[in-house]
Amino acid sequence: MTKRYYFLIRYIPAHADFELLAGRCIYQMHLFMVNNRQAMNKIGVSFPEWNEASVGQSIAFVADDKELMGGLSFQPYFSLMVNEGLFELTGVCEVPDTAVEVRFVRNQTIGKSFLGSKKRRIKRSLVRAETLGIEKALPTTEEERFIDHFHRIPISSESSGHDYVLFTQKEFADEPPSADFNSYGLATNHEKRGTVPDLRF
C-alpha cells in the first residue's frame, strides 16, 4: 500500500469558531492546489476531533506525497497563525497503518433544503418560464428530506469573491484508501470519493 503523510493544525483558542478556522485553512489549501497543479485533487482533509457539536479543534491535511505536505505546511497564513500563538502545527508525519478510513463529504444537496436556496430556485424557474413564454406557475415540490448530521464550514471563492458554505458530513469508508478529492480536499456524493485516515489520537 502507498504510504501517506499528514500534518495537523490545532487551533489554540478553546472558544474559537472552529468551523470558521477550518474554512480558512481549507481555503489556503485550495489556493495551494490551484498554484501547484500536481497537487490538484490529491490532498484530502481530515477532522480528527469531529463530533456532534463541531468539526473539532483541529484539522489535518493528507496526501501520498511527503514534499507536497511540507510545501503546504509552510504556507504564509499557517506560519502567521503559529507566530501569533493561534495555531499549533505538527511536522509532516506518516499515516499509521492501523488508521480507519473515513470520508468527509461536501453534500451540496443539504444547501437546497434551506429557504434561501428554495426562493432562488423558484425565482430562476419563473424567469425561465417568462423567457420561454410559458404561463407562470410556482413549481411544485415534494422535498421531504431526512438529512444526516452535518457541519457548515464557511469559505470564500477566489474567482467570484462570494462567501458560501461547505455542508460537510462524515462517513466511514470500507474500501482501500483513495486520493480523489474536490478542490477543497473533500469527497462528493458521486464523482469524487476520496478517503482519509481517521486521525483520532
Side-chain angles (χ1 to χ4, degrees):
M1 187 171 83
T2 307
K3 287 183 178 178
R4 289 180 298 166
Y5 302 90
Y6 73 94
F7 71 91
L8 185 136
I9 296 170
R10 180 175 303 283
Y11 318 126
I12 293 173
H15 301 293
D17 183 334
F18 300 145
E19 283 72 22
L20 178 68
L21 292 175
R24 290 188 176 163
C25 290
I26 289 170
Y27 178 70
Q28 294 303 313
M29 185 268 300
H30 173 74
L31 290 180
F32 178 78
M33 280 204 292
V34 167
N35 293 316
N36 296 275
R37 285 296 175 184
Q38 78 276 14
M40 189 53 80
N41 306 116
K42 293 182 181 159
I43 301 174
V45 173
S46 186
F47 297 98
E49 299 175 59
W50 177 280
N51 59 63
E52 288 285 320
S54 80
V55 295
Q57 201 167 342
S58 61
I59 187 171
F61 296 101
V62 182
D64 58 14
D65 186 327
K66 191 174 184 178
E67 284 184 27
L68 207 61
M69 288 288 89
L72 176 58
S73 72
F74 281 105
Q75 290 306 289
Y77 173 76
F78 299 147
S79 302
L80 173 68
M81 296 297 271
V82 168
N83 291 337
E84 293 289 325
L86 299 172
F87 283 2
E88 283 178 352
L89 219 76
T90 68
V92 176
C93 309
E94 192 174 320
V95 171
D97 292 336
T98 54
V100 173
E101 286 301 297
V102 294
R103 188 178 280 121
F104 290 96
V105 181
R106 180 187 182 192
N107 187 347
Q108 290 178 274
T109 312
I110 294 170
K112 293 178 181 175
S113 301
F114 293 101
L115 187 59
S117 172
K118 288 181 181 179
K119 284 180 178 176
R120 282 190 299 277
R121 284 183 289 151
I122 288 170
K123 189 175 177 181
R124 278 196 304 265
S125 177
L126 292 173
V127 167
R128 232 181 353 259
E130 187 175 314
T131 305
L132 297 171
I134 302 168
E135 185 180 330
K136 288 185 186 179
L138 285 177
T140 58
T141 178
E142 294 175 22
E143 297 181 80
E144 189 70 32
R145 291 184 179 150
F146 173 77
I147 299 169
D148 285 333
H149 174 261
F150 66 91
H151 288 304
R152 295 174 174 89
I153 300 173
I155 198 159
S156 298
S157 168
E158 178 78 0
S159 54
S160 71
H162 293 129
D163 295 333
Y164 56 97
V165 174
L166 300 174
F167 293 97
T168 308
Q169 295 177 298
K170 178 180 181 179
E171 60 184 49
F172 288 92
D174 54 6
E175 63 261 33
S178 157
D180 185 23
F181 306 100
N182 67 12
S183 63
Y184 297 105
L186 301 169
T188 62
N189 289 336
H190 302 293
E191 294 97 19
K192 304 289 183 186
R193 301 298 287 158
T195 64
V196 291
D198 196 1
L199 296 167
R200 265 173 210 282
F201 297 110

